[in-house]
Amino acid sequence: MNLLLPENLSDACELLATHEGAIPIAGGTDLFVHWPQRPDDSGQTYLDLSGIPELRAHGWSEGELRLGALTTYWDIIQDSQVQAALPLLVRAARQIGAIQIQTRGTWAGNVVNASPAADGVAVLMAYDAVVILRSREGTEECPLSDFYLGYKSMRRKSDQLLTGIRIPVRSYDLQLFEKVGSRTAQAISKVGVAVTRRGDDWRIVANSVAPTVCRCPALESFLASGRSVGEPADLAEALRSDIAPIDDLRSTARYRETVLSRLLYFGLKDACIQFS
Ligand SMILES: Cc1cc2nc3c(=O)[nH]c(=O)nc-3n(C[C@H](O)[C@H](O)[C@H](O)COP(=O)(O)OP(=O)(O)OC[C@H]3O[C@@H](n4cnc5c(N)ncnc54)[C@H](O)[C@@H]3O)c2cc1C
């Protein structure tokens, strides 16, 4: 196994460009689960980002929060300003793994790992986050809602590092994050949802019900139209074209669809949405 240890971002981009197939490591909480049994045999090259201080900080500028590539869930849980301005980030972070994962795992790693169950991705997408990608050739940005192309497939080239995440700070009428797993902590979502609303502008983002974390545009339009909702099944009907749940080791497609519509129905009712 080869380990590259850059100390600044431009060196990291240079190394990624010149070592084809090198794999970036941030907190390692996803990568180490699949760590080779005998690392010496693997011949794989890893690019450890942990020695690059400029990637760690998060901060505020021009009406947005900027997360660095090494910003962890714990950094966000501890920040009372984030709790006040973007509470879903804190709510999701508190439910990711447990404290050991929260102190090592990064938001950027959650995005690039591209799991359909990624809780961090759901809340970032509900807040219209934008990812910043950098390579030796330059920097580009992509709205997170356009970033994924399919299961574990995304608009990130192999020589690009995700160097930051921009999250606009807006005022919302409603913000909701719900997750159902086998337990309250240390559980990957069987189904989850993040919701934001400003007037008629809804973001409904679901996880574990499609090959990627996904926005639900049909349900967003349905809710914006103010059409009548009598029970969770009415939301399930509207959701059907947005999601493609499957049976797997964690749950069944039927459970996921049913529970998602119930999470939404009762979550929105609790938040005082008047269904006619
Ligand atoms: C016990 C346990 C519980 C967990 N619970 C949850 C949970 O409840 N919810 C949840 O969503 N996730 C959970 N996870 C998954 C994981 O912790 C998160 O996805 C975490 O955010 C990954 O971040 P990391 O920094 O550890 O990523 P890493 O493992 O370092 O990397 C993950 C992927 O992203 C790539 N990568 C990382 N940083 C960059 C970058 N800056 N640029 C380009 N590529 C990059 C890596 O090459 C790799 O492909 C859990 C994991 C474990 C082991």
Side-chain angles (χ1 to χ4, degrees):
M1 176 174 72
N2 305 309
L3 190 61
L4 305 171
L5 294 161
E7 290 177 4
N8 61 59
L9 188 50
S10 38
D11 284 357
C13 292
E14 185 64 30
L15 288 167
L16 200 54
T18 49
H19 291 74
E20 204 185 330
I23 298 176
I25 305 181
T29 61
D30 276 313
L31 280 175
F32 289 168
V33 172
H34 307 286
W35 202 241
Q37 296 299 312
R38 298 181 59 190
D40 292 347
D41 290 348
S42 86
Q44 178 65 58
T45 298
Y46 293 92
L47 180 74
D48 182 356
L49 303 175
S50 65
I52 308 178
E54 65 204 276
L55 292 181
R56 179 156 298 283
H58 69 281
W60 306 85
S61 70
E62 293 166 21
E64 64 182 28
L65 171 66
R66 222 175 235 250
L67 307 182
L70 292 175
T71 303
T72 63
Y73 302 112
W74 196 247
D75 293 330
I76 293 309
I77 289 169
Q78 286 184 306
D79 188 325
S80 56
Q81 213 180 334
V82 179
Q83 169 63 46
L86 297 159
L88 298 187
L89 296 185
V90 177
R91 213 170 300 165
R94 283 190 187 286
Q95 294 182 59
I96 291 179
I99 196 163
Q100 298 87 344
I101 296 297
Q102 292 162 10
T103 51
R104 282 201 68 86
T106 63
W107 295 85
N110 199 241
V111 169
V112 180
N113 186 56
S115 163
D119 298 310
V121 173
V123 289
L124 288 170
M125 215 183 269
Y127 281 138
D128 288 341
V130 171
V131 297
I132 305 166
L133 300 161
R134 180 163 154 184
S135 72
R136 193 171 63 172
E137 312 310 322
T139 301
E140 57 184 89
E141 298 196 350
C142 179
L144 185 54
S145 54
D146 294 339
F147 187 57
Y148 298 111
L149 302 168
Y151 179 70
K152 297 271 179 183
S153 163
M154 68 205 92
R155 294 181 200 279
R156 172 193 162 250
K157 301 182 195 91
S158 58
D159 66 343
Q160 285 180 321
L161 285 172
L162 196 163
T163 54
I165 302 171
R166 297 199 294 108
I167 309 155
V169 177
R170 300 172 175 144
S171 56
Y172 292 97
D173 308 327
L174 183 153
Q175 304 179 63
L176 183 74
F177 173 72
E178 297 284 349
K179 163 177 174 172
V180 174
S182 312
R183 309 169 282 277
T184 309
Q186 224 40 308
I188 304 294
S189 292
K190 291 173 192 276
V191 55
V193 66
V195 180
T196 58
R197 178 195 179 195
R198 291 184 303 145
D200 287 339
D201 197 14
W202 288 83
R203 299 285 180 273
I204 312 274
V205 183
N207 58 4
S208 297
V209 289
T212 68
V213 174
C214 64
R215 264 188 71 178
C216 300
L219 182 61
E220 289 171 3
S221 307
F222 177 85
L223 289 169
S225 73
R227 260 174 284 164
S228 117
V229 177
E231 54 180 346
D234 297 331
L235 296 179
E237 184 63 35
L239 262 174
R240 212 146 277 149
S241 61
D242 289 325
I243 63 174
I246 56 166
D247 296 346
D248 67 11
L249 79 170
R250 284 198 198 96
S251 192
T252 63
R254 184 149 173 259
Y255 177 90
R256 289 179 154 127
E257 183 184 299
T258 307
V259 172
L260 177 58
S261 57
R262 292 177 70 82
L263 285 177
L264 280 163
Y265 182 80
F266 292 107
L268 295 178
K269 268 189 112 169
D270 285 350
C272 299
I273 296 296
Q274 303 290 324
F275 290 131
S276 46

